[in-house]
Amino acid sequence: MYRLEKGTCVTREFDTAITDEEGRMNAPNARHTALRSSKFPIVERVFLTYASSGCGIGCSYCYIDHPSSPPVYYPDEHYRLQIEQLEATDRVIVAALAPDTDPFVTPESIERSLFYLRACESSGAAVQLSTKCRIPPDVRVLLDNWSGKLRPIIFTSMTSFDLHDRLEPGTPHPAARAKNFGEHAPSWVSAALVKPLLSISSCDQRRLVDLLLATKPEAVVVGARYRKVESVGATQLR
């Protein structure tokens, strides 16, 4: 939950239960009306996309098409239209950048990230993004001087020390990425995103914990762990 100002907060789209003044639950089909008439602003989470396929990092667990191939970026009109839609809405926006690639993997991605970040800063949108790279100097300067309503949250994704070369072959080692945590100003949040989605040794986990204790990210978010069930060919939460 993002805190905006006293008496106002952001909820996740329409999946948060809304109660009336006496604390009674509104019926599910009344949630939209309840949100519109309550003191809570309507929240819309948007994904600001970069590429139709490809990334270049080549993570073995990635869900996108052709993760080892270079990004195939959308035409410039795509980015302009996304920002126009973001700026035209009267809803509180949570903008998630680069769900389809790493925002800092190439110079072109960095350029698009700067474009999106500046637009979010001027519109007052809340920002979150996740990277497996070092934060570029130009991006850090923008974040350090951020004047938007809410502090951007920059997640540095961490998985495994031992299996790094196999899981995320096109990325800096986790120890190098962790330098992101010590290089930020109070105007933005530098957080660790730990992904225990693949089994790693207890020794590996200990080293990751020691690294986080040493580098002191402002926040640590631990994702869900998944396991593959061969009998049904599905991925289930564990």
Side-chain angles (χ1 to χ4, degrees), residues 89-225:
T89 183
D90 59 355
R91 301 179 178 187
V92 176
I93 294 291
V94 178
L97 275 62
D100 45 3
T101 185
D102 192 287
F104 308 137
V105 68
T106 67
E108 292 83 359
S109 289
I110 296 171
E111 181 182 347
R112 285 159 175 78
S113 295
L114 288 167
F115 174 75
Y116 279 145
L117 285 168
R118 291 183 181 114
C120 291
E121 181 182 29
S122 63
S123 70
V127 175
Q128 67 177 56
L129 65 81
S130 175
T131 183
K132 300 180 182 72
C133 300
R134 297 280 281 117
I135 298 173
D138 287 351
V139 174
R140 192 179 302 113
V141 169
L142 175 59
L143 295 172
D144 287 350
N145 295 280
W146 190 263
S147 60
K149 294 180 180 179
L150 297 168
R151 298 167 68 199
I153 301 178
I154 312 300
F155 293 103
T156 299
S157 178
M158 314 290 280
T159 49
S160 171
F161 279 65
D162 293 338
L163 302 177
H164 162 255
D165 290 341
R166 292 172 55 189
L167 296 179
E168 301 164 341
T171 64
H173 189 275
R177 295 178 223 171
K179 294 178 181 178
N180 288 343
F181 304 137
E183 300 175 349
H184 79 287
S187 55
W188 57 285
V189 178
S190 186
L193 176 60
V194 180
K195 297 181 177 179
L197 71 169
L198 297 167
S199 297
I200 54 178
S201 67
S202 58
C203 178
D204 207 12
Q205 294 178 45
R206 183 67 258 174
R207 280 188 288 168
L208 179 56
V209 170
D210 288 343
L211 177 65
L212 296 177
L213 289 173
T215 53
K216 295 180 173 57
E218 190 168 344
V220 177
V221 176
V222 180
R225 180 181 177 184

Side-chain angles (χ1 to χ4, degrees), residues 55-117:
C55 173
I57 287 180
C59 296
S60 61
Y61 53 84
C62 190
Y63 59 85
I64 69 168
D65 294 331
H66 314 296
S68 297
S69 301
V72 179
Y73 295 104
Y74 292 110
D76 291 344
E77 182 71 4
H78 170 87
Y79 308 101
R80 186 183 64 78
L81 288 174
Q82 287 198 106
I83 294 305
E84 285 183 358
Q85 293 171 5
L86 183 149
E87 293 176 340
T89 183
D90 59 355
R91 301 179 178 187
V92 176
I93 294 291
V94 178
L97 275 62
D100 45 3
T101 185
D102 192 287
F104 308 137
V105 68
T106 67
E108 292 83 359
S109 289
I110 296 171
E111 181 182 347
R112 285 159 175 78
S113 295
L114 288 167
F115 174 75
Y116 279 145
L117 285 168

